[in-house]
């Protein structure tokens, strides 16, 4: 019985040692540390030696148990083999013990099978791995924060167009919370056109196209449109298969509005430069043209006065007079839209202006058009040239009439309007404030946007040749902008057109109308008038008119000659052209008044070029007559200027 227990015990111990050895060798082999990890290898060798030694003991015991009773078991071979293996086991133990002392192991728990340098490398690797994990986690958290707080919309979409990610920027731009759109279709953000655009973009991504950008209009939760610039990028897994789409959207609504404003401002600046260049050209032409018209008009009057007994000649001359009036009107329009004329400002009652124009149109516009005037409930006045206000209303009304060949309704309206200063359709823009508003509306043919964009260009017209000059609306624009106002146009093809004129409201009282002049101007009673005009034929005409009316006219063709005549003969009135070579009319007036303070001066011009006042507005106290003028107008103006000076002297004496 003891032999059997001894045999069994040795077999169990041998099996245990083999198992321990295998559990050490296999991991070392897989880690490729069988030769580098000497301590672990030595440990495996001890267990192997012990297992073999116990195997010898088990074999010897088994042989003894199975031998005949009279058989002698002593065998030098088995004894020497067992003894030699025990020596090997002892050698391995000594080797292991030497490693243990050199490595300093077996003094700490869990340090049997790892050498210190290996442990250090493992610890360092573990530290690096932990640091990398922490850095990755921090990076991921930072990235998540950036994505969540980005002002841009960052949206994840499946290849089928289903929303899978939605950040705070998307919520701010589109108005939807993440819970409202996640797992829903991206078409919730688009109208019909936008949905088609989304489908097209997804198709481009699915076809293998890389990242690209585009702009489109989308719809917010509240239904308002928003302009968005998108950047679309495919999202792929490690195998290169597309698993989704990344969409970054930026709200560019404000940027596009700003760009549109800048474009409009640039267009208006360019238009202003063109108008200025054209104005300089037109002004020079108008000056000479008005001199010629004055010559034609007055010589026509001379002939009319001398041929009263010849009706057929009188009829022909009336046609000449009509042509002169038409040419004069055309020249004035040309100067108005180029801001080349001189205006005489006063407070104008808009209700009265509308009523006067209504009265004129009511007799001439035609029975096929219904004419309506809508005044303001309260008195409303502006500071402007009354003739120009009438010209605005008449030009717009006549254009409206031409736009309603089959009849319609024309409305003239005066009122007040508040402007916030942000309107895009004002030409030119106005600062915020309250303005007087004149409206002219018709139910005519209307205009296309392309035509409406060009209507204020000089010489642009849609009327047949011979029916329009293209200066009517350009004149209106020039008058309005010169008065510090603005104009707005709204038109629909087949519906009609509305012009709205905005002008600064006057705070003064409306001036009383000028008294009606007498039928005949007073005689000159021998008073001396010094006429200074560089256009010699016109100077002769003016002198003739004055001489025939009882004045004594002295004529000079330039400033130097005028000064010599003044120093020699003096004068009771200086009648001078404004624009002359070398010495201008205002400068001549300064020189003569330096010698005779208070000398009455009457300026005449068809184009003053701003020499008589700031921004072409006639300064108060300046006597002025516009070319071309009739002899009657001239004589009345001369008499008025002399009378005003006489009254000033009388009041001064008192």
């Amino acid at each position: 019985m003891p032999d059997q227990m001894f045999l069994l015990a040795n077999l169990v111990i041998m099996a245990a040692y083999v198992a321990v050895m295998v559990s050490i060798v296999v991991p070392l082999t897989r880690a490729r540390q069988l030769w580098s990890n000497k301590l672990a290898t030595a440990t495996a060798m001890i267990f192997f030696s012990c297992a073999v030694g116990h195997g010898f003991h088990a074999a010897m015991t088994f042989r003894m148990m199975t031998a005949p009773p009279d058989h002698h078991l002593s065998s030098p071979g088995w004894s020497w083999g067992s003894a030699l293996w025990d020596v090997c086991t002892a050698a391995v133990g000594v080797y292991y013990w030497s490693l243990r002392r050199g490595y300093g192991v077996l003094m700490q728990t869990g340090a049997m099978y790892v050498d210190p340098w290996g442990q250090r490398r493992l610890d360092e690797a573990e530290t690096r791995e932990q640091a990398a994990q922490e850095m990755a986690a921090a990076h991921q958290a930072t990235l998540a924060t950036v994505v969540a707080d980005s002002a841009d919309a960052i949206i994840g979409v499946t290849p089928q167009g289903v929303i899978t990610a939605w950040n705070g920027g998307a919520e701010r731009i589109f108005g939807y919370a993440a819970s409202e759109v996640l797992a829903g279709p991206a078409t919730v953000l688009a109208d019909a056109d936008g949905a088609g655009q989304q489908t097209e973009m997804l198709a481009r991504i699915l076809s293998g196209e890389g990242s690209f950008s585009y702009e489109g209009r989308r719809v917010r939760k509240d239904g308002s449109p928003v302009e968005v610039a998108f950047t679309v990028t495919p999202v792929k897994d490690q195998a290169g298969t597309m698993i989704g789409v990344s969409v970054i959207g930026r709200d560019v609504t404000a940027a596009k509005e700003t760009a549109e404003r800048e474009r409009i401002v640039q267009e208006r600046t360019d238009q202003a430069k063109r108008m200025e260049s054209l104005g300089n050209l037109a002004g020079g032409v108008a000056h000479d043209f008005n001199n010629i018209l004055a010559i034609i008009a007055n010589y026509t009057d001379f002939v009319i006065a001398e041929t009263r007994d010849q009706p057929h000649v009188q009829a022909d001359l009336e046609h000449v007079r009509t042509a002169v009036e038409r040419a004069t009107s055309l020249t004035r329009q040309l100067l108005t839209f180029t801001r080349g004329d001189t205006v005489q400002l006063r407070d104008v009652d808009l209700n009265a202006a509308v009523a006067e124009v209504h009265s004129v149109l009511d007799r001439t516009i035609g029975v096929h058009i219904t004419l309506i005037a809508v005044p303001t409930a309260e008195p409303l006045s502006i500071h402007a040239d009354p003739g120009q206000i009438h010209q605005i209303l008449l030009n717009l009304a006549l254009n409206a009439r031409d736009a309603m060949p089959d009849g319609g309704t024309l409305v003239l309206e005066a009122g007040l309007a508040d402007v916030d200063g942000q309107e895009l359709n004002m030409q030119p823009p106005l600062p915020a404030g309250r303005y007087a508003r004149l409206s002219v509306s018709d139910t005519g043919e209307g205009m296309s946007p392309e035509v409406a964009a060009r209507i204020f260009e000089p010489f642009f017209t849609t009327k047949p040749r011979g029916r329009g000059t293209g200066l009517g609306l350009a004149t209106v624009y020039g008058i309005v902008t010169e008065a510090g106002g603005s104009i707005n146009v709204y038109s629909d093809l087949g519906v009609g057109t509305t012009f709205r004129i905005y002008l600064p409201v006057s705070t003064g009282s409306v001036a009383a109308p000028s008294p009606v002049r007498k039928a005949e101007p007073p005689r000159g009673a021998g008073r001396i008038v010094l006429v200074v005009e560089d256009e010699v034929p016109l100077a002769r005409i003016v002198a003739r008119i004055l001489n025939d009316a009882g004045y004594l006219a002295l004529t000079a063709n330039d400033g130097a000659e005028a000064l010599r005549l003044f120093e020699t003969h003096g004068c009771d009135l200086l009648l001078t052209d404004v624009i002359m070579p070398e010495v201008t009319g205002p400068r001549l007036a300064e020189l003569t008044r330096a010698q005779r303070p208070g000398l009455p001066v009457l300026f005449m011009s068809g184009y003053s070029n701003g020499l008589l006042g700031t921004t072409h507005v006639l300064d108060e106290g300046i006597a002025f007559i516009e070319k071309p003028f009739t002899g009657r107008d001239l004589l009345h103006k001369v008499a008025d200027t002399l009378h005003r000076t006489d009254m000033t002297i009388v009041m001064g004496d008192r």
Side-chain angles (χ1 to χ4, degrees), residues 354-371 390 393-402 404 410 412:
V354 169
E356 290 172 10
V357 173
H358 179 273
S359 177
V360 172
L361 293 173
D362 195 36
R363 298 189 301 268
T364 60
I365 201 166
V367 295
H368 64 299
I369 293 177
T370 302
L371 183 62
H390 291 168
L393 292 172
L394 285 172
N395 277 342
L396 294 179
L398 294 178
N399 275 351
R401 177 201 63 187
D402 295 340
M404 297 184 289
L410 173 60
L412 309 177

Side-chain angles (χ1 to χ4, degrees), residues 572-573 589 592-601 641 645-646 648-649:
D572 297 301
L573 173 72
T592 54
R593 281 176 171 169
Q595 300 181 43
R596 181 184 164 185
L599 175 68
V601 178
T641 305
T645 304
D646 293 341
T648 302
I649 294 174

Side-chain angles (χ1 to χ4, degrees), residues 272-608:
K273 290 180 180 178
R274 291 194 300 270
M275 296 285 279
E276 182 180 3
S277 300
L278 184 58
N280 292 332
L281 173 64
V285 172
H287 176 265
D288 294 337
F289 193 53
N290 279 328
N291 284 340
I292 296 171
L293 288 176
I295 295 170
I296 296 172
N298 284 284
Y299 273 118
T300 301
D301 287 344
F302 293 157
V303 178
I304 289 175
E306 294 173 0
T307 58
R308 297 190 185 280
D309 58 342
Q310 302 180 44
H312 62 285
V313 175
Q314 295 272 303
D316 291 342
L317 293 174
E318 286 299 330
H319 288 303
V320 175
R321 165 59 71 183
T322 301
V324 170
E325 291 175 352
R326 288 182 59 190
T328 300
S329 175
L330 181 62
T331 306
R332 285 176 178 166
Q333 289 189 47
L334 188 65
L335 288 173
T336 297
F337 85 80
T338 58
R339 304 183 183 184
D341 58 346
T342 298
V343 299
Q344 303 182 51
L345 302 180
R346 71 179 190 186
D347 287 336
V348 180
D349 183 350
L350 281 190
N351 284 342
V354 169
E356 290 172 10
V357 173
H358 179 273
S359 177
V360 172
L361 293 173
D362 195 36
R363 298 189 301 268
T364 60
I365 201 166
V367 295
H368 64 299
I369 293 177
T370 302
L371 183 62
I372 300 174
V374 183
T376 60
E378 300 293 333
L380 178 61
S381 64
I382 60 173
H383 198 62
D385 186 310
Q388 289 190 339
I389 298 303
H390 291 168
Q391 192 174 6
I392 288 174
L393 292 172
L394 285 172
N395 277 342
L396 294 179
L398 294 178
N399 275 351
R401 177 201 63 187
D402 295 340
M404 297 184 289
D406 299 325
T409 301
L410 173 60
V411 180
L412 309 177
E413 183 177 1
L416 280 170
D418 291 316
V419 174
D420 62 14
Q422 300 299 318
E423 291 82 0
L424 287 175
N425 54 355
M426 291 289 202
Q427 301 186 46
L430 281 180
R434 173 161 285 196
Y435 293 84
R437 183 175 66 191
L438 284 171
S439 299
V440 179
S441 304
D442 66 66
T443 57
E445 300 168 345
M447 296 178 286
S448 66
E450 294 75 19
V451 171
R454 299 188 59 193
I455 55 174
F456 297 120
E457 294 181 11
F459 307 112
F460 174 78
T461 180
T462 58
K463 296 178 182 179
R465 182 179 296 274
R467 292 280 305 278
T469 62
L471 289 177
L473 291 177
T475 300
V476 170
Y477 182 85
I479 293 173
V480 171
T481 53
E482 183 72 16
S486 181
I487 188 167
N488 160 261
V489 184
Y490 177 80
S491 186
D492 255 345
L493 280 174
V495 177
T497 302
T498 297
F499 287 86
R500 297 182 181 91
I501 310 296
Y502 297 84
L503 297 167
V505 178
S506 173
T507 56
S509 58
V510 178
S514 302
V516 179
R517 287 177 175 169
K518 298 178 182 179
E520 293 296 332
R523 303 288 296 175
R527 289 194 171 190
I528 300 175
V529 179
L530 178 55
V531 179
V532 188
E533 170 61 63
D534 60 331
E535 188 74 31
V536 176
L538 182 57
R540 293 195 190 118
I541 289 175
V542 172
R544 177 175 172 177
I545 293 171
L546 292 171
N547 288 328
D548 290 346
Y551 295 93
L552 177 59
L554 304 175
T555 59
N557 299 125
D558 55 50
E561 183 181 359
L563 286 173
R564 288 194 298 270
L565 288 174
F566 179 75
E567 292 170 355
T568 303
H569 303 284
C571 68
D572 297 301
L573 173 72
L574 174 63
L575 174 59
T576 178
D577 193 10
V578 175
I579 298 179
M580 295 185 298
E582 298 182 3
V583 181
T584 64
R587 177 57 180 162
L588 178 61
E590 290 179 8
L591 295 173
T592 54
R593 281 176 171 169
Q595 300 181 43
R596 181 184 164 185
L599 175 68
V601 178
L602 173 60
F603 294 100
M604 54 182 174
S605 181
Y607 172 65
S608 65

Side-chain angles (χ1 to χ4, degrees), residues 259-275 424 427 453-454 457 477:
E260 179 65 14
R261 288 179 184 275
E262 291 176 351
R263 184 190 65 80
I264 293 174
V265 169
Q266 186 60 45
E267 285 184 356
R268 289 172 179 166
T269 301
D270 294 341
Q271 183 182 21
K273 290 180 180 178
R274 291 194 300 270
M275 296 285 279
L424 287 175
Q427 301 186 46
R454 299 188 59 193
E457 294 181 11
Y477 182 85

Side-chain angles (χ1 to χ4, degrees), residues 100-339:
R100 172 257 175 203
R101 296 189 61 84
Y103 279 73
V105 297
L106 297 180
M107 297 180 181
Q108 299 178 5
T109 304
M112 283 188 63
Y113 303 110
V114 180
D115 65 90
W117 302 109
Q119 182 64 45
R120 181 183 298 176
R121 289 193 297 273
L122 291 175
D123 291 343
E124 291 174 352
E126 183 179 0
T127 301
R128 288 194 300 271
E129 182 179 0
Q130 184 176 359
Q133 290 176 349
E134 291 176 353
M135 183 178 295
H139 176 71
Q140 187 174 7
T142 302
L143 183 60
T145 302
V146 170
V147 170
D149 296 338
S150 173
D152 294 340
I154 301 178
I155 306 169
V157 183
T158 67
Q160 292 73 36
V162 177
I163 297 175
T164 58
W166 187 265
N167 76 330
E171 182 174 341
R172 285 186 291 273
I173 292 176
F174 297 105
Y176 290 96
S179 59
E180 296 177 284
V181 294
L182 288 178
T187 52
V188 71
L189 307 176
D191 54 15
D193 293 337
Q197 189 182 45
Q198 286 179 335
T199 302
E200 179 184 348
M201 297 304 111
L202 281 175
R204 289 174 59 181
I205 286 289
L206 291 172
S207 67
E209 186 171 347
S211 178
F212 60 87
S213 300
Y214 71 98
E215 289 187 6
R217 174 170 292 188
R218 297 295 180 263
V219 182
R220 294 188 177 97
K221 182 179 179 181
D222 60 7
S224 61
V226 56
E227 297 287 341
V228 184
F230 293 103
T231 299
V232 182
T233 306
V235 178
K236 300 180 179 180
D237 59 14
Q238 294 181 347
T241 303
M242 193 183 75
I243 58 175
V245 180
S246 169
V247 181
I248 300 176
R250 173 166 294 179
D251 185 353
V252 295
T253 305
K256 295 190 76 169
E257 290 178 354
T258 300
E260 179 65 14
R261 288 179 184 275
E262 291 176 351
R263 184 190 65 80
I264 293 174
V265 169
Q266 186 60 45
E267 285 184 356
R268 289 172 179 166
T269 301
D270 294 341
Q271 183 182 21
K273 290 180 180 178
R274 291 194 300 270
M275 296 285 279
E276 182 180 3
S277 300
L278 184 58
N280 292 332
L281 173 64
V285 172
H287 176 265
D288 294 337
F289 193 53
N290 279 328
N291 284 340
I292 296 171
L293 288 176
I295 295 170
I296 296 172
N298 284 284
Y299 273 118
T300 301
D301 287 344
F302 293 157
V303 178
I304 289 175
E306 294 173 0
T307 58
R308 297 190 185 280
D309 58 342
Q310 302 180 44
H312 62 285
V313 175
Q314 295 272 303
D316 291 342
L317 293 174
E318 286 299 330
H319 288 303
V320 175
R321 165 59 71 183
T322 301
V324 170
E325 291 175 352
R326 288 182 59 190
T328 300
S329 175
L330 181 62
T331 306
R332 285 176 178 166
Q333 289 189 47
L334 188 65
L335 288 173
T336 297
F337 85 80
T338 58
R339 304 183 183 184

